Amino acid sequence: MKKDLYHIKQLLSLYHSGMTTLAQEHELMEFFAVTPESALPNDMKADRRMMVLLAADGVCRVPAGLDAQLSAHIDMLERREHRGRRGRRLMAIASVAASVAILLTATVFVVKDSSSSVYELTDPQEAQDETQRALLLVSECLNKADRKAEETDMLLERLGFDMSMFEDDSMEYDDSLMTGDDGIVPVFSDTIGV
């Protein structure tokens, strides 16, 4: 029986590829006509029903309106793909613009710092205070950027853009580097200073 099933699976693969001869198709129809559905594995039950229907009628009837539904679905997929390409292009342009902005900002600060007198912190408490102020400033900027991104997302959704095309399910945030073996986030505040 296993040898027969293997042979039938090969014929089905050829059939679905459109490469069977008329004799092979008749062999498939005869096999499924005499084999009960309960004797077949689950992956062949749908094929059996299809072959039995084809053997009974000889013609497969297409439901009315299926061509219009398929055409509309294909058009929708094409529009989604076009929007996806445009969105990826916009994301690439935005990434390049952000990189240039970061480089320009860094250059301005380097030129500004090189023209001013050297500022050196020797007191550990003062260094910790300055570091905390810098981290708070960075945190505020990131929070503002998050709010602007959320506003932009809401605006794009109101305009009818499909925001799911920008989501990448294969990329997930991994915070395993931030947690210890026990799952607790370590505190590094006591390591700041000299």
Side-chain angles (χ1 to χ4, degrees):
M1 179 74 171
K2 286 192 181 249
K3 186 177 179 184
D4 289 340
L5 286 177
Y6 179 75
H7 176 68
I8 294 300
K9 284 184 178 184
Q10 286 180 327
L11 287 179
L12 281 172
S13 178
L14 288 173
Y15 178 79
H16 291 303
S17 300
M19 301 173 63
T20 52
T21 64
L22 196 54
Q24 290 171 329
E25 289 177 16
H26 285 297
E27 182 181 349
L28 279 172
M29 288 181 193
E30 287 175 19
F31 173 80
F32 285 120
V34 297
T35 306
E37 189 170 327
S38 59
L40 294 174
N42 288 335
D43 62 336
M44 293 179 71
K45 289 181 180 180
D47 291 315
R48 180 191 180 279
R49 284 184 289 243
M50 178 184 66
M51 287 295 173
V52 167
L53 286 173
L54 286 174
D57 255 352
V59 177
C60 184
R61 291 185 184 88
V62 177
L66 183 64
D67 58 341
Q69 289 176 351
L70 286 174
S71 179
H73 185 70
I74 290 169
D75 291 343
M76 186 267 306
L77 290 176
E78 186 176 329
R79 283 192 307 272
R80 185 181 295 169
E81 178 62 27
H82 180 68
R83 272 190 268 148
R85 274 186 264 133
R86 184 173 52 210
R88 285 189 290 275
R89 242 183 285 137
L90 286 174
M91 291 298 285
I93 291 169
S95 299
V96 169
S99 300
V100 169
I102 290 171
L103 286 174
L104 288 175
T105 304
T107 304
V108 167
F109 279 113
V110 168
V111 169
K112 180 181 174 186
D113 285 346
S114 64
S115 64
S116 65
S117 63
V118 176
Y119 180 65
E120 184 177 325
L121 292 174
T122 55
D123 181 27
Q125 183 61 39
E126 191 177 336
Q128 182 178 5
D129 293 342
E130 287 295 323
T131 304
Q132 286 179 349
R133 274 193 289 271
L135 290 174
L136 282 174
L137 180 63
V138 168
S139 176
E140 288 173 10
C141 291
L142 289 175
N143 288 338
K144 286 179 185 176
D146 283 344
R147 283 192 298 271
K148 289 293 182 183
E150 288 173 4
E151 289 173 13
T152 304
D153 287 347
M154 289 189 311
L155 178 64
L156 288 174
E157 285 177 4
R158 274 189 266 159
L159 291 174
F161 284 95
D162 182 16
M163 297 307 294
S164 65
M165 72 178 128
F166 296 114
E167 296 173 0
D168 187 5
D169 294 334
S170 66
M171 298 293 291
E172 292 186 18
Y173 177 70
D174 181 18
D175 64 350
S176 62
L177 297 176
M178 293 300 295
T179 58
D181 293 336
D182 53 1
I184 299 174
V185 177
V187 178
F188 297 106
S189 62
D190 61 334
T191 59
I192 300 175
V194 179

